[in-house]
Amino acid sequence: MQKNDERRGTPLLATIDRAAVVVPLDDLPWYGDAVEVGAGMSLQRLHSSELGDSVFKNAIDAIETGLRSFDTCLVVEATDRPRLKPAVLSAAFLFALWLQRPTRAQACYRFERRGDAWRTTLLLDRFQFNRARVDDEVTLADLEAVGAVFPSLEDIAVDGRRLRTALMLSLRSCESKTWQVALICAVAAIETVLTYTKKAKKGRGIAERLATCYACLIASSKTERDGAVGEFREIYGFRSDLVHGRGFDFMHDEADANLKKLARVQEVLRRVWGRVLRDATLRAELEKDDAAREVFFERVCRGYATPARER
């Protein structure tokens, strides 16, 4: 896709009369035209040159920021019974985008319609990008994928139990400014999806059981599952090093080593969510109690033996 320096597309003001929430998205590498990204949601453009004539003028004049330069916005149309609160909507969209393609995109402000006026909210919980894993362009296919999984994310955010806990932990991982907190929250979210008992069984520790569940959940062939087990063992080792005092906050040139570890952990998290959000039957199984989940995972993992650990 060619970058669009002329910034063509439908101006935001063309649909402003139907908008209930508008969220400027900083550093979103989307260079296409205005596009729908879900039911009642779209990406639209608001040019800095148009701000003087827009309904946002008073709201923006009231804040001493660089808001006059924002361009792409998430626009949510008004509805009688919105499923998600405005505060959750933008976070859910950015999370869905991150699952598809990690970028530097974040939301710093949110505008909400209140009658004929707009209320401006400064967002303190913001998505953080990891320079060890950042893509510099979002495609139309990415946005279509976001729209496809967004209803499932809505269902989890509104009605989920265990999966809602996993979602909240995942968001905390994405919003944390420290790699240690981000890593621990990511692993906790993965465990929330994969675990079903505190006890080790038949000589297998919890880490090995989680690795088996992960491999059998995301892969089908023996070769793919063996690779996934190795991947999980690696990232769980990062978690163990950190919580048992063997992980360090390296300074200077070594700092990137920790960010690379975080990127590896979050890659596993993204794979888990990718599998969960595509399968409604799987989501229903994962919301059951531990006893039912144990039966489910034993069925999924039946016949598979993990490779021996390398010494």
Side-chain angles (χ1 to χ4, degrees), residues 168-204:
M168 294 302 104
L169 287 166
S170 300
L171 287 171
R172 295 293 82 80
S173 177
C174 292
E175 293 171 349
S176 174
K177 296 180 180 178
T178 59
W179 69 268
Q180 297 97 328
V181 175
L183 190 149
I184 292 300
C185 285
V187 176
I190 295 168
E191 291 197 49
T192 301
V193 175
L194 299 177
T195 196
Y196 53 81
T197 179
K198 298 178 182 178
K199 301 176 182 177
K201 298 180 64 177
K202 298 178 181 179
R204 289 197 310 164

PDB file of all heavy atoms in Angstrom, residues 168-204:
ATOM      1  N   MET A 168      -8.411  -8.183  30.843  1.00  0.00           N
ATOM      2  CA  MET A 168      -7.939  -7.074  31.673  1.00  0.00           C
ATOM      3  C   MET A 168      -6.438  -7.177  31.933  1.00  0.00           C
ATOM      4  O   MET A 168      -5.708  -6.178  31.892  1.00  0.00           O
ATOM      5  CB  MET A 168      -8.699  -7.053  33.000  1.00  0.00           C
ATOM      6  CG  MET A 168     -10.186  -6.737  32.888  1.00  0.00           C
ATOM      7  SD  MET A 168     -10.525  -5.136  32.092  1.00  0.00           S
ATOM      8  CE  MET A 168     -11.054  -5.665  30.459  1.00  0.00           C
ATOM      9  N   LEU A 169      -5.937  -8.383  32.191  1.00  0.00           N
ATOM     10  CA  LEU A 169      -4.501  -8.572  32.390  1.00  0.00           C
ATOM     11  C   LEU A 169      -3.727  -8.251  31.112  1.00  0.00           C
ATOM     12  O   LEU A 169      -2.636  -7.671  31.153  1.00  0.00           O
ATOM     13  CB  LEU A 169      -4.226 -10.014  32.826  1.00  0.00           C
ATOM     14  CG  LEU A 169      -4.636 -10.365  34.260  1.00  0.00           C
ATOM     15  CD1 LEU A 169      -4.623 -11.884  34.456  1.00  0.00           C
ATOM     16  CD2 LEU A 169      -3.714  -9.690  35.265  1.00  0.00           C
ATOM     17  N   SER A 170      -4.291  -8.614  29.978  1.00  0.00           N
ATOM     18  CA  SER A 170      -3.640  -8.326  28.692  1.00  0.00           C
ATOM     19  C   SER A 170      -3.548  -6.819  28.462  1.00  0.00           C
ATOM     20  O   SER A 170      -2.522  -6.307  28.005  1.00  0.00           O
ATOM     21  CB  SER A 170      -4.412  -8.983  27.545  1.00  0.00           C
ATOM     22  OG  SER A 170      -4.467 -10.388  27.700  1.00  0.00           O
ATOM     23  N   LEU A 171      -4.626  -6.107  28.770  1.00  0.00           N
ATOM     24  CA  LEU A 171      -4.615  -4.654  28.627  1.00  0.00           C
ATOM     25  C   LEU A 171      -3.586  -4.017  29.547  1.00  0.00           C
ATOM     26  O   LEU A 171      -2.876  -3.089  29.163  1.00  0.00           O
ATOM     27  CB  LEU A 171      -5.999  -4.083  28.900  1.00  0.00           C
ATOM     28  CG  LEU A 171      -7.050  -4.318  27.811  1.00  0.00           C
ATOM     29  CD1 LEU A 171      -8.424  -3.896  28.303  1.00  0.00           C
ATOM     30  CD2 LEU A 171      -6.681  -3.564  26.544  1.00  0.00           C
ATOM     31  N   ARG A 172      -3.494  -4.525  30.787  1.00  0.00           N
ATOM     32  CA  ARG A 172      -2.499  -3.978  31.712  1.00  0.00           C
ATOM     33  C   ARG A 172      -1.086  -4.214  31.176  1.00  0.00           C
ATOM     34  O   ARG A 172      -0.202  -3.378  31.355  1.00  0.00           O
ATOM     35  CB  ARG A 172      -2.644  -4.624  33.095  1.00  0.00           C
ATOM     36  CG  ARG A 172      -3.925  -4.336  33.830  1.00  0.00           C
ATOM     37  CD  ARG A 172      -4.073  -2.866  34.263  1.00  0.00           C
ATOM     38  NE  ARG A 172      -4.559  -2.000  33.215  1.00  0.00           N
ATOM     39  CZ  ARG A 172      -5.824  -1.885  32.865  1.00  0.00           C
ATOM     40  NH1 ARG A 172      -6.731  -2.597  33.476  1.00  0.00           N
ATOM     41  NH2 ARG A 172      -6.182  -1.045  31.917  1.00  0.00           N
ATOM     42  N   SER A 173      -0.880  -5.335  30.523  1.00  0.00           N
ATOM     43  CA  SER A 173       0.426  -5.604  29.920  1.00  0.00           C
ATOM     44  C   SER A 173       0.728  -4.599  28.823  1.00  0.00           C
ATOM     45  O   SER A 173       1.844  -4.083  28.719  1.00  0.00           O
ATOM     46  CB  SER A 173       0.465  -7.025  29.352  1.00  0.00           C
ATOM     47  OG  SER A 173       1.697  -7.287  28.699  1.00  0.00           O
ATOM     48  N   CYS A 174      -0.272  -4.297  28.011  1.00  0.00           N
ATOM     49  CA  CYS A 174      -0.078  -3.371  26.892  1.00  0.00           C
ATOM     50  C   CYS A 174       0.080  -1.923  27.358  1.00  0.00           C
ATOM     51  O   CYS A 174       0.671  -1.107  26.654  1.00  0.00           O
ATOM     52  CB  CYS A 174      -1.254  -3.465  25.933  1.00  0.00           C
ATOM     53  SG  CYS A 174      -1.355  -5.029  25.049  1.00  0.00           S
ATOM     54  N   GLU A 175      -0.471  -1.600  28.526  1.00  0.00           N
ATOM     55  CA  GLU A 175      -0.445  -0.215  28.986  1.00  0.00           C
ATOM     56  C   GLU A 175       0.672   0.075  29.983  1.00  0.00           C
ATOM     57  O   GLU A 175       0.923   1.243  30.309  1.00  0.00           O
ATOM     58  CB  GLU A 175      -1.790   0.129  29.632  1.00  0.00           C
ATOM     59  CG  GLU A 175      -2.941   0.149  28.632  1.00  0.00           C
ATOM     60  CD  GLU A 175      -4.308   0.261  29.283  1.00  0.00           C
ATOM     61  OE1 GLU A 175      -4.392   0.110  30.521  1.00  0.00           O
ATOM     62  OE2 GLU A 175      -5.292   0.488  28.565  1.00  0.00           O
ATOM     63  N   SER A 176       1.347  -0.952  30.450  1.00  0.00           N
ATOM     64  CA  SER A 176       2.384  -0.744  31.455  1.00  0.00           C
ATOM     65  C   SER A 176       3.608  -0.055  30.854  1.00  0.00           C
ATOM     66  O   SER A 176       4.027  -0.349  29.737  1.00  0.00           O
ATOM     67  CB  SER A 176       2.821  -2.076  32.068  1.00  0.00           C
ATOM     68  OG  SER A 176       3.910  -1.877  32.941  1.00  0.00           O
ATOM     69  N   LYS A 177       4.195   0.850  31.620  1.00  0.00           N
ATOM     70  CA  LYS A 177       5.393   1.570  31.178  1.00  0.00           C
ATOM     71  C   LYS A 177       6.673   0.867  31.600  1.00  0.00           C
ATOM     72  O   LYS A 177       7.767   1.320  31.253  1.00  0.00           O
ATOM     73  CB  LYS A 177       5.376   2.994  31.736  1.00  0.00           C
ATOM     74  CG  LYS A 177       4.229   3.833  31.203  1.00  0.00           C
ATOM     75  CD  LYS A 177       4.251   5.239  31.776  1.00  0.00           C
ATOM     76  CE  LYS A 177       3.089   6.060  31.226  1.00  0.00           C
ATOM     77  NZ  LYS A 177       3.060   7.425  31.807  1.00  0.00           N
ATOM     78  N   THR A 178       6.566  -0.215  32.360  1.00  0.00           N
ATOM     79  CA  THR A 178       7.750  -0.959  32.786  1.00  0.00           C
ATOM     80  C   THR A 178       7.687  -2.374  32.224  1.00  0.00           C
ATOM     81  O   THR A 178       6.623  -3.018  32.245  1.00  0.00           O
ATOM     82  CB  THR A 178       7.848  -1.028  34.318  1.00  0.00           C
ATOM     83  OG1 THR A 178       6.678  -1.666  34.849  1.00  0.00           O
ATOM     84  CG2 THR A 178       7.967   0.374  34.906  1.00  0.00           C
ATOM     85  N   TRP A 179       8.804  -2.870  31.734  1.00  0.00           N
ATOM     86  CA  TRP A 179       8.811  -4.173  31.076  1.00  0.00           C
ATOM     87  C   TRP A 179       8.497  -5.295  32.050  1.00  0.00           C
ATOM     88  O   TRP A 179       7.887  -6.296  31.676  1.00  0.00           O
ATOM     89  CB  TRP A 179      10.140  -4.424  30.375  1.00  0.00           C
ATOM     90  CG  TRP A 179      11.314  -4.631  31.310  1.00  0.00           C
ATOM     91  CD1 TRP A 179      12.164  -3.680  31.780  1.00  0.00           C
ATOM     92  CD2 TRP A 179      11.747  -5.876  31.874  1.00  0.00           C
ATOM     93  NE1 TRP A 179      13.104  -4.241  32.612  1.00  0.00           N
ATOM     94  CE2 TRP A 179      12.890  -5.596  32.684  1.00  0.00           C
ATOM     95  CE3 TRP A 179      11.315  -7.196  31.776  1.00  0.00           C
ATOM     96  CZ2 TRP A 179      13.568  -6.580  33.391  1.00  0.00           C
ATOM     97  CZ3 TRP A 179      11.994  -8.184  32.480  1.00  0.00           C
ATOM     98  CH2 TRP A 179      13.109  -7.871  33.275  1.00  0.00           C
ATOM     99  N   GLN A 180       8.898  -5.133  33.340  1.00  0.00           N
ATOM    100  CA  GLN A 180       8.644  -6.194  34.311  1.00  0.00           C
ATOM    101  C   GLN A 180       7.140  -6.413  34.507  1.00  0.00           C
ATOM    102  O   GLN A 180       6.656  -7.549  34.476  1.00  0.00           O
ATOM    103  CB  GLN A 180       9.287  -5.853  35.660  1.00  0.00           C
ATOM    104  CG  GLN A 180      10.798  -5.755  35.621  1.00  0.00           C
ATOM    105  CD  GLN A 180      11.267  -4.316  35.482  1.00  0.00           C
ATOM    106  OE1 GLN A 180      10.588  -3.497  34.857  1.00  0.00           O
ATOM    107  NE2 GLN A 180      12.421  -4.010  36.046  1.00  0.00           N
ATOM    108  N   VAL A 181       6.406  -5.318  34.717  1.00  0.00           N
ATOM    109  CA  VAL A 181       4.956  -5.429  34.925  1.00  0.00           C
ATOM    110  C   VAL A 181       4.280  -5.946  33.660  1.00  0.00           C
ATOM    111  O   VAL A 181       3.377  -6.795  33.720  1.00  0.00           O
ATOM    112  CB  VAL A 181       4.369  -4.068  35.341  1.00  0.00           C
ATOM    113  CG1 VAL A 181       2.849  -4.134  35.430  1.00  0.00           C
ATOM    114  CG2 VAL A 181       4.961  -3.617  36.669  1.00  0.00           C
ATOM    115  N   ALA A 182       4.705  -5.441  32.514  1.00  0.00           N
ATOM    116  CA  ALA A 182       4.125  -5.882  31.248  1.00  0.00           C
ATOM    117  C   ALA A 182       4.322  -7.379  31.048  1.00  0.00           C
ATOM    118  O   ALA A 182       3.413  -8.098  30.610  1.00  0.00           O
ATOM    119  CB  ALA A 182       4.743  -5.101  30.090  1.00  0.00           C
ATOM    120  N   LEU A 183       5.506  -7.876  31.359  1.00  0.00           N
ATOM    121  CA  LEU A 183       5.808  -9.300  31.172  1.00  0.00           C
ATOM    122  C   LEU A 183       4.981 -10.164  32.116  1.00  0.00           C
ATOM    123  O   LEU A 183       4.378 -11.162  31.696  1.00  0.00           O
ATOM    124  CB  LEU A 183       7.298  -9.548  31.375  1.00  0.00           C
ATOM    125  CG  LEU A 183       7.840 -10.935  30.986  1.00  0.00           C
ATOM    126  CD1 LEU A 183       9.299 -10.833  30.520  1.00  0.00           C
ATOM    127  CD2 LEU A 183       7.741 -11.934  32.136  1.00  0.00           C
ATOM    128  N   ILE A 184       4.930  -9.796  33.389  1.00  0.00           N
ATOM    129  CA  ILE A 184       4.187 -10.599  34.364  1.00  0.00           C
ATOM    130  C   ILE A 184       2.691 -10.610  34.042  1.00  0.00           C
ATOM    131  O   ILE A 184       2.026 -11.656  34.128  1.00  0.00           O
ATOM    132  CB  ILE A 184       4.430 -10.079  35.791  1.00  0.00           C
ATOM    133  CG1 ILE A 184       5.877 -10.346  36.204  1.00  0.00           C
ATOM    134  CG2 ILE A 184       3.475 -10.730  36.778  1.00  0.00           C
ATOM    135  CD1 ILE A 184       6.278 -11.801  36.198  1.00  0.00           C
ATOM    136  N   CYS A 185       2.141  -9.469  33.671  1.00  0.00           N
ATOM    137  CA  CYS A 185       0.717  -9.420  33.323  1.00  0.00           C
ATOM    138  C   CYS A 185       0.415 -10.249  32.087  1.00  0.00           C
ATOM    139  O   CYS A 185      -0.629 -10.906  31.999  1.00  0.00           O
ATOM    140  CB  CYS A 185       0.274  -7.976  33.128  1.00  0.00           C
ATOM    141  SG  CYS A 185       0.088  -7.037  34.653  1.00  0.00           S
ATOM    142  N   ALA A 186       1.324 -10.239  31.110  1.00  0.00           N
ATOM    143  CA  ALA A 186       1.125 -11.034  29.901  1.00  0.00           C
ATOM    144  C   ALA A 186       1.114 -12.522  30.221  1.00  0.00           C
ATOM    145  O   ALA A 186       0.247 -13.274  29.746  1.00  0.00           O
ATOM    146  CB  ALA A 186       2.210 -10.710  28.877  1.00  0.00           C
ATOM    147  N   VAL A 187       2.070 -12.968  31.032  1.00  0.00           N
ATOM    148  CA  VAL A 187       2.106 -14.392  31.400  1.00  0.00           C
ATOM    149  C   VAL A 187       0.878 -14.752  32.229  1.00  0.00           C
ATOM    150  O   VAL A 187       0.287 -15.831  32.055  1.00  0.00           O
ATOM    151  CB  VAL A 187       3.394 -14.724  32.168  1.00  0.00           C
ATOM    152  CG1 VAL A 187       3.378 -16.190  32.623  1.00  0.00           C
ATOM    153  CG2 VAL A 187       4.625 -14.486  31.296  1.00  0.00           C
ATOM    154  N   ALA A 188       0.467 -13.867  33.125  1.00  0.00           N
ATOM    155  CA  ALA A 188      -0.730 -14.127  33.928  1.00  0.00           C
ATOM    156  C   ALA A 188      -1.968 -14.272  33.046  1.00  0.00           C
ATOM    157  O   ALA A 188      -2.830 -15.130  33.296  1.00  0.00           O
ATOM    158  CB  ALA A 188      -0.937 -13.001  34.950  1.00  0.00           C
ATOM    159  N   ALA A 189      -2.062 -13.453  32.002  1.00  0.00           N
ATOM    160  CA  ALA A 189      -3.188 -13.560  31.074  1.00  0.00           C
ATOM    161  C   ALA A 189      -3.162 -14.897  30.339  1.00  0.00           C
ATOM    162  O   ALA A 189      -4.203 -15.549  30.167  1.00  0.00           O
ATOM    163  CB  ALA A 189      -3.144 -12.412  30.069  1.00  0.00           C
ATOM    164  N   ILE A 190      -1.968 -15.319  29.922  1.00  0.00           N
ATOM    165  CA  ILE A 190      -1.831 -16.616  29.241  1.00  0.00           C
ATOM    166  C   ILE A 190      -2.250 -17.748  30.166  1.00  0.00           C
ATOM    167  O   ILE A 190      -2.993 -18.658  29.777  1.00  0.00           O
ATOM    168  CB  ILE A 190      -0.377 -16.809  28.768  1.00  0.00           C
ATOM    169  CG1 ILE A 190      -0.015 -15.780  27.703  1.00  0.00           C
ATOM    170  CG2 ILE A 190      -0.178 -18.220  28.223  1.00  0.00           C
ATOM    171  CD1 ILE A 190       1.472 -15.702  27.398  1.00  0.00           C
ATOM    172  N   GLU A 191      -1.788 -17.700  31.411  1.00  0.00           N
ATOM    173  CA  GLU A 191      -2.146 -18.745  32.369  1.00  0.00           C
ATOM    174  C   GLU A 191      -3.639 -18.756  32.651  1.00  0.00           C
ATOM    175  O   GLU A 191      -4.243 -19.823  32.848  1.00  0.00           O
ATOM    176  CB  GLU A 191      -1.367 -18.554  33.670  1.00  0.00           C
ATOM    177  CG  GLU A 191       0.124 -18.828  33.548  1.00  0.00           C
ATOM    178  CD  GLU A 191       0.784 -19.031  34.903  1.00  0.00           C
ATOM    179  OE1 GLU A 191       0.254 -19.817  35.719  1.00  0.00           O
ATOM    180  OE2 GLU A 191       1.823 -18.398  35.145  1.00  0.00           O
ATOM    181  N   THR A 192      -4.262 -17.592  32.688  1.00  0.00           N
ATOM    182  CA  THR A 192      -5.701 -17.511  32.928  1.00  0.00           C
ATOM    183  C   THR A 192      -6.473 -18.285  31.868  1.00  0.00           C
ATOM    184  O   THR A 192      -7.477 -18.937  32.158  1.00  0.00           O
ATOM    185  CB  THR A 192      -6.157 -16.045  32.946  1.00  0.00           C
ATOM    186  OG1 THR A 192      -5.458 -15.349  33.975  1.00  0.00           O
ATOM    187  CG2 THR A 192      -7.645 -15.935  33.200  1.00  0.00           C
ATOM    188  N   VAL A 193      -5.990 -18.234  30.636  1.00  0.00           N
ATOM    189  CA  VAL A 193      -6.649 -18.950  29.549  1.00  0.00           C
ATOM    190  C   VAL A 193      -6.359 -20.449  29.606  1.00  0.00           C
ATOM    191  O   VAL A 193      -7.246 -21.278  29.365  1.00  0.00           O
ATOM    192  CB  VAL A 193      -6.199 -18.385  28.182  1.00  0.00           C
ATOM    193  CG1 VAL A 193      -6.786 -19.208  27.034  1.00  0.00           C
ATOM    194  CG2 VAL A 193      -6.603 -16.927  28.040  1.00  0.00           C
ATOM    195  N   LEU A 194      -5.139 -20.824  29.955  1.00  0.00           N
ATOM    196  CA  LEU A 194      -4.692 -22.201  29.769  1.00  0.00           C
ATOM    197  C   LEU A 194      -4.801 -23.102  30.996  1.00  0.00           C
ATOM    198  O   LEU A 194      -4.793 -24.320  30.860  1.00  0.00           O
ATOM    199  CB  LEU A 194      -3.229 -22.210  29.301  1.00  0.00           C
ATOM    200  CG  LEU A 194      -2.916 -21.521  27.976  1.00  0.00           C
ATOM    201  CD1 LEU A 194      -1.419 -21.569  27.714  1.00  0.00           C
ATOM    202  CD2 LEU A 194      -3.677 -22.176  26.824  1.00  0.00           C
ATOM    203  N   THR A 195      -4.855 -22.551  32.190  1.00  0.00           N
ATOM    204  CA  THR A 195      -4.760 -23.392  33.383  1.00  0.00           C
ATOM    205  C   THR A 195      -6.118 -23.936  33.810  1.00  0.00           C
ATOM    206  O   THR A 195      -7.162 -23.384  33.457  1.00  0.00           O
ATOM    207  CB  THR A 195      -4.115 -22.612  34.548  1.00  0.00           C
ATOM    208  OG1 THR A 195      -3.699 -23.530  35.562  1.00  0.00           O
ATOM    209  CG2 THR A 195      -5.089 -21.610  35.124  1.00  0.00           C
ATOM    210  N   TYR A 196      -6.091 -25.037  34.598  1.00  0.00           N
ATOM    211  CA  TYR A 196      -7.338 -25.584  35.134  1.00  0.00           C
ATOM    212  C   TYR A 196      -7.166 -26.198  36.518  1.00  0.00           C
ATOM    213  O   TYR A 196      -8.129 -26.654  37.124  1.00  0.00           O
ATOM    214  CB  TYR A 196      -7.931 -26.629  34.182  1.00  0.00           C
ATOM    215  CG  TYR A 196      -6.982 -27.736  33.775  1.00  0.00           C
ATOM    216  CD1 TYR A 196      -6.748 -28.831  34.602  1.00  0.00           C
ATOM    217  CD2 TYR A 196      -6.329 -27.684  32.548  1.00  0.00           C
ATOM    218  CE1 TYR A 196      -5.893 -29.855  34.226  1.00  0.00           C
ATOM    219  CE2 TYR A 196      -5.478 -28.693  32.167  1.00  0.00           C
ATOM    220  CZ  TYR A 196      -5.257 -29.780  33.008  1.00  0.00           C
ATOM    221  OH  TYR A 196      -4.392 -30.778  32.627  1.00  0.00           O
ATOM    222  N   THR A 197      -5.960 -26.234  37.053  1.00  0.00           N
ATOM    223  CA  THR A 197      -5.752 -26.727  38.406  1.00  0.00           C
ATOM    224  C   THR A 197      -4.424 -26.223  38.937  1.00  0.00           C
ATOM    225  O   THR A 197      -3.515 -25.908  38.153  1.00  0.00           O
ATOM    226  CB  THR A 197      -5.774 -28.267  38.461  1.00  0.00           C
ATOM    227  OG1 THR A 197      -5.548 -28.693  39.817  1.00  0.00           O
ATOM    228  CG2 THR A 197      -4.684 -28.861  37.580  1.00  0.00           C
ATOM    229  N   LYS A 198      -4.309 -26.145  40.256  1.00  0.00           N
ATOM    230  CA  LYS A 198      -3.065 -25.719  40.880  1.00  0.00           C
ATOM    231  C   LYS A 198      -2.080 -26.878  41.044  1.00  0.00           C
ATOM    232  O   LYS A 198      -0.908 -26.673  41.308  1.00  0.00           O
ATOM    233  CB  LYS A 198      -3.349 -25.132  42.272  1.00  0.00           C
ATOM    234  CG  LYS A 198      -4.225 -23.898  42.271  1.00  0.00           C
ATOM    235  CD  LYS A 198      -4.488 -23.441  43.697  1.00  0.00           C
ATOM    236  CE  LYS A 198      -5.394 -22.229  43.736  1.00  0.00           C
ATOM    237  NZ  LYS A 198      -5.685 -21.806  45.134  1.00  0.00           N
ATOM    238  N   LYS A 199      -2.570 -28.096  40.900  1.00  0.00           N
ATOM    239  CA  LYS A 199      -1.768 -29.271  41.225  1.00  0.00           C
ATOM    240  C   LYS A 199      -0.978 -29.785  40.019  1.00  0.00           C
ATOM    241  O   LYS A 199      -1.471 -29.773  38.893  1.00  0.00           O
ATOM    242  CB  LYS A 199      -2.668 -30.382  41.753  1.00  0.00           C
ATOM    243  CG  LYS A 199      -3.465 -30.000  43.001  1.00  0.00           C
ATOM    244  CD  LYS A 199      -4.392 -31.126  43.399  1.00  0.00           C
ATOM    245  CE  LYS A 199      -5.223 -30.737  44.624  1.00  0.00           C
ATOM    246  NZ  LYS A 199      -6.184 -31.814  44.992  1.00  0.00           N
ATOM    247  N   ALA A 200       0.240 -30.253  40.294  1.00  0.00           N
ATOM    248  CA  ALA A 200       1.000 -30.967  39.278  1.00  0.00           C
ATOM    249  C   ALA A 200       0.467 -32.398  39.198  1.00  0.00           C
ATOM    250  O   ALA A 200       0.034 -32.971  40.197  1.00  0.00           O
ATOM    251  CB  ALA A 200       2.483 -30.965  39.634  1.00  0.00           C
ATOM    252  N   LYS A 201       0.467 -32.964  37.985  1.00  0.00           N
ATOM    253  CA  LYS A 201      -0.096 -34.296  37.827  1.00  0.00           C
ATOM    254  C   LYS A 201       0.881 -35.209  37.101  1.00  0.00           C
ATOM    255  O   LYS A 201       1.535 -34.805  36.120  1.00  0.00           O
ATOM    256  CB  LYS A 201      -1.404 -34.229  37.031  1.00  0.00           C
ATOM    257  CG  LYS A 201      -2.496 -33.421  37.714  1.00  0.00           C
ATOM    258  CD  LYS A 201      -3.752 -33.380  36.886  1.00  0.00           C
ATOM    259  CE  LYS A 201      -4.364 -34.733  36.713  1.00  0.00           C
ATOM    260  NZ  LYS A 201      -5.629 -34.689  35.970  1.00  0.00           N
ATOM    261  N   LYS A 202       0.979 -36.426  37.594  1.00  0.00           N
ATOM    262  CA  LYS A 202       1.759 -37.482  36.938  1.00  0.00           C
ATOM    263  C   LYS A 202       3.177 -37.033  36.640  1.00  0.00           C
ATOM    264  O   LYS A 202       3.708 -37.237  35.542  1.00  0.00           O
ATOM    265  CB  LYS A 202       1.060 -37.913  35.645  1.00  0.00           C
ATOM    266  CG  LYS A 202      -0.328 -38.504  35.861  1.00  0.00           C
ATOM    267  CD  LYS A 202      -0.987 -38.872  34.549  1.00  0.00           C
ATOM    268  CE  LYS A 202      -2.386 -39.434  34.785  1.00  0.00           C
ATOM    269  NZ  LYS A 202      -3.073 -39.780  33.504  1.00  0.00           N
ATOM    270  N   GLY A 203       3.774 -36.380  37.622  1.00  0.00           N
ATOM    271  CA  GLY A 203       5.167 -35.990  37.468  1.00  0.00           C
ATOM    272  C   GLY A 203       5.405 -34.760  36.619  1.00  0.00           C
ATOM    273  O   GLY A 203       6.545 -34.346  36.430  1.00  0.00           O
ATOM    274  N   ARG A 204       4.345 -34.163  36.096  1.00  0.00           N
ATOM    275  CA  ARG A 204       4.496 -32.965  35.265  1.00  0.00           C
ATOM    276  C   ARG A 204       4.237 -31.725  36.107  1.00  0.00           C
ATOM    277  O   ARG A 204       3.243 -31.638  36.813  1.00  0.00           O
ATOM    278  CB  ARG A 204       3.516 -32.979  34.092  1.00  0.00           C
ATOM    279  CG  ARG A 204       3.840 -33.993  33.015  1.00  0.00           C
ATOM    280  CD  ARG A 204       3.089 -33.664  31.740  1.00  0.00           C
ATOM    281  NE  ARG A 204       1.663 -33.452  31.983  1.00  0.00           N
ATOM    282  CZ  ARG A 204       0.848 -32.867  31.117  1.00  0.00           C
ATOM    283  NH1 ARG A 204       1.335 -32.391  29.991  1.00  0.00           N
ATOM    284  NH2 ARG A 204      -0.425 -32.739  31.381  1.00  0.00           N
TER     285      ARG A 204
END
